[in-house]
Amino acid sequence: MQPDLLDSHVLHQFRTRSPLTHCMTNDVVQTFTANVLLALGASPAMVIEAEEAEQFAALADALLVNVGTLTAPRAQSMRRAIESTVAAGTPWVLDPVAVGALAFRTRFCQQILSLKPAAIRGNASEILALAGMSAGGRGVDSTDTAASALTAAQTLARQTHAVVVVTGEVDHITDGQRTRTVAGGDLLMTRVVGTGCALSAVVAACCSLPGDRLDNATAACGFMKRAGSVALTQSRGPGSFVSAFLDALYALEEQV
Amino acid sequence: MQPDLLDSHVLHQFRTRSPLTHCMTNDVVQTFTANVLLALGASPAMVIEAEEAEQFAALADALLVNVGTLTAPRAQSMRRAIESTVAAGTPWVLDPVAVGALAFRTRFCQQILSLKPAAIRGNASEILALAGMSAGGRGVDSTDTAASALTAAQTLARQTHAVVVVTGEVDHITDGQRTRTVAGGDLLMTRVVGTGCALSAVVAACCSLPGDRLDNATAACGFMKRAGSVALTQSRGPGSFVSAFLDALYALEEQV
Amino acid sequence: MQPDLLDSHVLHQFRTRSPLTHCMTNDVVQTFTANVLLALGASPAMVIEAEEAEQFAALADALLVNVGTLTAPRAQSMRRAIESTVAAGTPWVLDPVAVGALAFRTRFCQQILSLKPAAIRGNASEILALAGMSAGGRGVDSTDTAASALTAAQTLARQTHAVVVVTGEVDHITDGQRTRTVAGGDLLMTRVVGTGCALSAVVAACCSLPGDRLDNATAACGFMKRAGSVALTQSRGPGSFVSAFLDALYALEEQV
């Protein structure tokens, strides 16, 4: 299929199935993540107490684990939720925010990597750090380009059997053998908190859909880039961008 | 009084008294809840540590308890806050997010029901589950219509002496004897996170006002539906809806 | 330098250095705080687990401690982060939300005051309470004007060697000897949650810049008032204000 047709096909599946997406994500991006999933037609739910997270992960279509504001109790809940998805055979996705830069989350990310994530989504510094090839970025920001992390992403994909998504102005998506790119990012999107974190949630929802996982993760990147491009033409800065971006995600189907 | 005059009367009281509303709510909707209360003229405050929650609940005009991202420590804080409002004679409102679907929060909701909430606000699946008539919805979404939960709502209202608000495209508000309806919802509002949760906070604030509690809770539903209708005409999707909705709540008094 | 030139100079430093700003802030304002810092060109990061907060505070350019939704574990993390900044010689800023009104946070604020904050930012009731001259406001709202707290602010500045910023329709900024004012606020800004909390984060970022700390804190107030004035002319209420405000912060440099 051509990229545009593929995107449309995945989007149709997405809206039809409305994936119930269990988000265990950081405190800063919860609202935006939920609104991005809702705008696209998914059903997000944030459930965090260990007992509940374990129970809910078995009911949901996909799980997102984002370590941005990790705490010790949250790490414990995440581990139980991940084990529950593994037992249920549903996919989970790792967003290793600022891995490499901070010891506690780096240990945690390395431990849960063995629990077979369906996909990993990070910026270049995070993917390099997770692959053991660098010491992390500056806070939550990447100090490397996505292209520079491509070899690390491919190695990590082969080691973990996950689809690895390295995002930046151009996104690179790889399963270790095949690699796709999605262009169209803009620096303005780095002036809005949570665009990368929300993409990880969309990747998780897409991983629950039928079809090739690499295709589905690539489509997730495509949705965000496409809505971002529309929003850029309609906004005067990062504030109006957020509104326009959610509107564009909501209208995405009609534009194909 | 006619519905429109009643709404205006309650709104006038709301803006004059600016109810100090203690919100113990879920992590996903805190900002939106605060902004909805502020736009309407209330004074929201989120206070969560057990010692502080107990102290603050005694000072506030109303308390909201929303179990969306319940944790064990938060449940303990909520219980102390509720006991404090009961001792102070001020109203508290329960929003039983996803009750029935998850065991931990279901036990907690059933326990605190005995502490005499002034009102309960949920979607149809939640009200059915809380009344013991079903096993809950799909994640946080309702799989039932508000009308289908009306009998459950009336039973629950008689059992708990709370006003029960079942929301959907049409809202039903009942004290077990009398039942009101407020129409005017739109599917777009289900694509924005927190509209239901924010309504629960407005119901809590309205429960602190003088007058009939059923009237006050009905007015709360009316504010949200009315602002939603205005916002719908001014928005192109869920992103612009949020801005327009807060603007419409802020301007509400002038439209009556 | 004239105020306008000073503002431009500090803004240029801000955008050039992009201060890595560690925010330990309340749950209600995290997204808005991050977006305000990003719009101005800083690099925000929210890191909260004690081990990580200690490690990250030593790497960051500045730390914000906001006690709005303080919990016992968070207080412990904040203390370790503060000690880490003190050891590293980097500035930290205190936002004493609702101090005086609630015992737990009042004790905590008094304890950490001895750890030499670079600046303290609060409303009049908070500054009066922190200086021991009153018992606090109504919830998180001030019941006093900024001018009425000026003597308290000056005393507090001399006692703690911090720059004290009392905000309201007119902001007063003092180091105990010198006092500056920044006018231009509007009541609409009090109908949006987090404008004060976000200013505290901008003050923290500005405290990391070279130059006179009083000048830098004054410039932070100026950025927010200036963007607020622009946004007011472009908004119809608190919802559209938020978008317009972030856009105006982002465009600020070009307007000088």
Side-chain angles (χ1 to χ4, degrees):
Chain A
M1 261 194 261
Q2 289 189 317
D4 282 3
L5 286 177
L6 183 66
D7 260 35
S8 289
H9 176 71
V10 177
L11 187 58
H12 180 73
Q13 292 282 347
F14 196 104
R15 294 217 191 265
T16 306
R17 290 171 180 260
S18 185
L20 184 57
T21 309
H22 181 186
C23 300
M24 302 187 78
T25 191
N26 73 70
D27 296 341
V28 190
V29 304
Q30 300 215 41
T31 312
F32 186 62
T33 300
N35 278 331
V36 163
L37 287 172
L38 286 168
L40 276 170
S43 178
M46 281 67 174
V47 175
I48 54 175
E49 177 65 17
E51 178 196 320
E52 289 203 336
E54 179 179 310
Q55 188 187 356
F56 191 64
L59 305 172
D61 295 314
L63 168 68
L64 167 69
V65 170
N66 172 309
V67 300
T69 52
L70 193 67
T71 60
R74 193 63 61 92
Q76 207 173 4
S77 293
M78 286 173 171
R79 183 184 293 275
R80 284 179 62 179
I82 294 169
E83 285 166 354
S84 189
T85 64
V86 171
T90 44
W92 74 276
V93 169
L94 173 63
D95 186 331
V97 179
V99 71
L102 295 162
F104 175 72
R105 69 183 63 189
T106 302
R107 290 195 305 272
F108 178 69
C109 287
Q110 282 164 348
Q111 288 163 9
I112 59 176
L113 262 192
S114 64
L115 297 172
K116 299 196 190 309
I120 301 165
R121 202 292 313 168
N123 64 34
S125 294
E126 290 157 357
I127 297 303
L128 283 162
L130 203 59
M133 298 182 187
S134 99
R138 179 170 180 266
V140 298
D141 297 331
S142 186
T143 50
D144 303 276
T145 65
S148 70
L150 187 52
T151 304
Q154 289 163 335
T155 305
L156 187 63
R158 282 191 293 269
Q159 284 170 352
T160 60
H161 303 289
V163 167
V164 176
V165 182
V166 200
T167 53
E169 279 192 63
V170 175
D171 299 340
H172 298 260
I173 307 100
T174 183
D175 62 3
Q177 270 73 45
R178 300 169 296 164
T179 297
R180 307 275 168 75
T181 58
V182 177
D186 188 278
L187 277 177
L188 183 61
M189 292 182 78
T190 67
R191 297 288 115 201
V192 173
V193 79
T195 49
C197 297
L199 169 56
S200 299
V202 177
V203 169
C206 284
C207 281
S208 76
L209 302 177
D212 183 76
R213 187 154 290 164
L214 187 70
D215 285 347
N216 290 342
T218 304
C221 294
F223 301 159
M224 300 293 271
K225 293 286 194 201
R226 201 136 54 90
S229 297
V230 172
L232 274 171
T233 66
Q234 294 171 353
S235 48
R236 291 184 296 185
S240 47
F241 178 84
V242 168
S243 290
F245 181 65
L246 292 170
D247 287 356
L249 284 172
Y250 183 71
L252 212 52
E253 201 165 17
E254 299 151 42
Q255 292 169 353
V256 178
Chain B
M1 265 195 257
Q2 289 189 316
D4 283 3
L5 286 177
L6 183 66
D7 260 35
S8 289
H9 177 71
V10 177
L11 187 57
H12 180 74
Q13 293 280 348
F14 196 104
R15 295 217 190 265
T16 306
R17 290 170 180 260
S18 184
L20 183 57
T21 310
H22 182 186
C23 299
M24 301 187 79
T25 190
N26 73 71
D27 297 340
V28 191
V29 304
Q30 300 215 40
T31 312
F32 186 62
T33 301
N35 278 331
V36 162
L37 287 172
L38 286 168
L40 275 169
S43 179
M46 281 66 174
V47 175
I48 55 175
E49 176 65 18
E51 178 197 319
E52 289 202 338
E54 179 179 309
Q55 188 187 357
F56 191 64
L59 305 172
D61 295 314
L63 169 68
L64 167 68
V65 170
N66 172 309
V67 300
T69 52
L70 192 67
T71 60
R74 194 64 60 91
Q76 207 173 5
S77 293
M78 286 172 171
R79 183 185 293 275
R80 285 178 62 178
I82 293 168
E83 285 166 356
S84 190
T85 65
V86 170
T90 44
W92 74 276
V93 168
L94 173 62
D95 186 332
V97 179
V99 71
L102 294 162
F104 176 72
R105 69 184 62 190
T106 302
R107 291 196 303 273
F108 178 69
C109 287
Q110 282 163 349
Q111 286 163 9
I112 60 176
L113 262 192
S114 65
L115 296 172
K116 298 195 191 311
I120 301 165
R121 201 291 314 168
N123 64 36
S125 294
E126 290 157 356
I127 297 303
L128 283 162
L130 203 60
M133 298 183 186
S134 98
R138 179 170 180 266
V140 298
D141 297 332
S142 186
T143 50
D144 303 277
T145 65
S148 70
L150 187 52
T151 304
Q154 289 163 337
T155 305
L156 187 62
R158 282 191 294 268
Q159 283 170 351
T160 60
H161 305 290
V163 167
V164 177
V165 182
V166 200
T167 53
E169 279 193 62
V170 176
D171 298 340
H172 297 260
I173 307 100
T174 182
D175 63 3
Q177 271 73 47
R178 301 169 295 163
T179 298
R180 307 276 168 76
T181 58
V182 177
D186 187 278
L187 276 178
L188 183 61
M189 292 183 78
T190 67
R191 297 286 115 200
V192 173
V193 79
T195 49
C197 297
L199 169 57
S200 299
V202 177
V203 169
C206 285
C207 281
S208 76
L209 302 177
D212 183 77
R213 186 154 291 165
L214 187 69
D215 285 347
N216 290 343
T218 304
C221 294
F223 301 159
M224 300 292 272
K225 293 286 194 202
R226 200 138 51 92
S229 298
V230 173
L232 274 171
T233 65
Q234 295 170 354
S235 48
R236 293 184 295 184
S240 48
F241 179 84
V242 169
S243 288
F245 182 65
L246 292 169
D247 287 355
L249 285 172
Y250 183 71
L252 211 53
E253 202 164 16
E254 298 151 40
Q255 293 169 352
V256 177
Chain C
M1 267 194 256
Q2 289 189 318
D4 282 2
L5 286 177
L6 183 66
D7 261 35
S8 289
H9 176 72
V10 177
L11 186 57
H12 181 73
Q13 293 281 346
F14 196 104
R15 293 215 192 267
T16 306
R17 291 172 179 259
S18 184
L20 183 56
T21 310
H22 182 185
C23 300
M24 301 187 79
T25 190
N26 72 70
D27 296 341
V28 191
V29 304
Q30 300 215 40
T31 312
F32 186 62
T33 301
N35 278 332
V36 162
L37 287 172
L38 285 169
L40 276 169
S43 179
M46 281 66 175
V47 175
I48 55 175
E49 176 66 17
E51 179 196 319
E52 289 203 337
E54 180 180 309
Q55 187 188 357
F56 192 63
L59 305 172
D61 295 315
L63 169 69
L64 167 69
V65 170
N66 172 309
V67 301
T69 52
L70 193 67
T71 61
R74 194 63 60 91
Q76 206 173 5
S77 293
M78 286 172 171
R79 183 185 292 276
R80 284 179 62 179
I82 294 169
E83 286 166 355
S84 190
T85 65
V86 170
T90 44
W92 73 276
V93 168
L94 174 63
D95 186 331
V97 179
V99 72
L102 295 162
F104 175 72
R105 66 184 65 192
T106 302
R107 291 196 304 273
F108 178 69
C109 288
Q110 282 163 348
Q111 287 164 9
I112 59 175
L113 262 192
S114 64
L115 296 172
K116 298 195 190 311
I120 300 164
R121 201 292 313 168
N123 64 35
S125 294
E126 290 158 355
I127 297 303
L128 282 162
L130 202 60
M133 298 182 186
S134 98
R138 179 170 180 267
V140 298
D141 297 332
S142 186
T143 50
D144 303 277
T145 65
S148 71
L150 187 51
T151 304
Q154 289 163 335
T155 305
L156 187 63
R158 282 192 293 270
Q159 284 170 351
T160 60
H161 304 289
V163 167
V164 177
V165 182
V166 200
T167 54
E169 279 193 62
V170 175
D171 299 339
H172 298 259
I173 306 102
T174 182
D175 63 4
Q177 271 73 46
R178 300 169 295 164
T179 298
R180 307 275 168 76
T181 58
V182 176
D186 188 277
L187 276 178
L188 183 59
M189 292 182 78
T190 67
R191 296 289 114 199
V192 173
V193 79
T195 49
C197 297
L199 169 56
S200 299
V202 178
V203 169
C206 285
C207 282
S208 76
L209 302 177
D212 183 76
R213 186 154 291 166
L214 186 70
D215 285 347
N216 290 343
T218 304
C221 295
F223 301 159
M224 299 292 272
K225 292 286 194 203
R226 201 138 52 91
S229 298
V230 173
L232 274 171
T233 65
Q234 295 170 353
S235 47
R236 292 184 295 185
S240 47
F241 178 84
V242 169
S243 289
F245 181 65
L246 292 170
D247 287 356
L249 285 172
Y250 183 71
L252 211 53
E253 203 165 14
E254 298 151 42
Q255 293 170 351
V256 179

